[in-house]
Amino acid sequence: MRQPSAPPFNAPAARRLRAALGMRPEHVAYGMRSSYGLPYVTPDLVIAWERGVTAPSNPELTALAGVLWCSPGELIGRPRTLREHRIARAVAPEDVAHAVGMDLPAYLRAEESGQWRGNERQSAALARVLELALPDFVAVTGREARLADLLHSAVTTRWQAYVRPVMKVAPLDKAFLEQVLQRLHQDYQGHMAATLSWGGGTSGASASGRDFLDRIVDHFWAAVEGGTG
């Protein structure tokens, strides 16, 4: 079975946390050897992690967090996958599986494949146990591509027709979502119109519009987070 890749490691955070404790790399290495049974960890390896030359594996990350008196989540970058969110919260896969009412092999398959097949109740439980914000919930349950497609259509055609479909992917208040989609539609149309000239040149407008569409999900979450003004 393929070994899952390690989560994104936050090297500056590891260096900062060690310095705050007044520890040297050799102290960290010794703690990982003596307390966590990792005899091969040397000061040079700790330095390599802190410089971003290499990244610790999952067991190494857990041990490093223990030595630095922090949670594993403080040592990784922004989680992107279901597995990375679980590790960031320092929750065992067995505990997540139990919380969502899923057998462990099925849950592990979801982490491995990146395809979440839980029902609405299980999805809500997943969001609770991993404390997922809505953008993260949409991403880890594999709905982001669907959201991008819906938003693409909403801003390029009639946004009103996509309120309910978007709500099914990203559950938000209907009135608020209507404001968000209307705002995105107006922004997109503004990008398309801004560089149109009397001479009929449209390449600039097209490029601006394509860039807006390429980042449509980011624009959507920014509008949700900031409100519509």
Side-chain angles (χ1 to χ4, degrees), residues 154-156 159 179-193 212 228:
V155 301
T156 57
W159 64 264
Q179 295 178 47
V180 170
L181 292 184
Q182 183 178 24
R183 173 66 178 272
L184 289 177
H185 183 272
Q186 292 171 346
D187 287 349
Y188 173 72
Q189 297 303 323
H191 278 279
M192 292 302 292
F212 186 86
T228 60

Side-chain angles (χ1 to χ4, degrees), residues 7 26 37 46 51 53 70 79 84 99 101 111 115 124 127 133 150 161 197 200 212:
E26 50 264 37
V46 173
R51 290 178 176 172
V53 175
C70 68
E84 289 173 4
E111 283 197 359
Q115 296 295 317
L150 291 171
S197 67
F212 186 86

Side-chain angles (χ1 to χ4, degrees), residues 9-160:
F9 182 61
N10 190 334
R15 186 167 58 249
R16 183 174 63 251
L17 287 164
R18 175 180 59 75
L21 291 171
M23 301 174 70
R24 297 176 59 83
E26 50 264 37
H27 299 145
V28 175
Y30 175 79
M32 294 181 70
R33 292 195 304 268
S34 62
S35 299
Y36 293 91
L38 300 176
Y40 56 87
V41 176
T42 64
D44 286 342
L45 180 56
V46 173
I47 291 171
W49 290 337
E50 292 184 355
R51 290 178 176 172
V53 175
T54 185
S57 65
N58 292 330
E60 291 166 348
L61 181 69
T62 301
L64 180 61
V67 171
L68 295 178
W69 292 85
C70 68
S71 70
E74 294 177 77
L75 293 175
I76 67 176
R78 179 178 174 82
R80 297 163 300 186
T81 66
L82 176 57
R83 180 173 158 276
E84 289 173 4
H85 278 281
R86 176 180 60 75
I87 292 173
R89 295 296 178 188
V91 182
E94 295 84 356
D95 294 334
V96 179
H98 176 74
V100 303
M102 182 179 290
D103 63 80
L104 181 58
Y107 173 74
L108 291 175
R109 283 196 297 272
E111 283 197 359
E112 177 71 16
S113 67
Q115 296 295 317
W116 174 253
R117 303 188 185 283
N119 56 34
E120 290 303 312
R121 180 188 61 78
Q122 291 172 319
S123 297
L126 181 74
R128 284 195 301 272
V129 72
L130 296 182
E131 302 177 35
L132 297 173
L134 185 55
D136 295 324
F137 172 74
V138 170
V140 303
T141 54
R143 304 179 183 187
E144 199 167 65
R146 172 64 174 162
L147 177 61
D149 288 343
L150 291 171
L151 294 175
H152 184 288
S153 298
V155 301
T156 57
T157 59
R158 292 183 65 255
W159 64 264
Q160 296 89 338

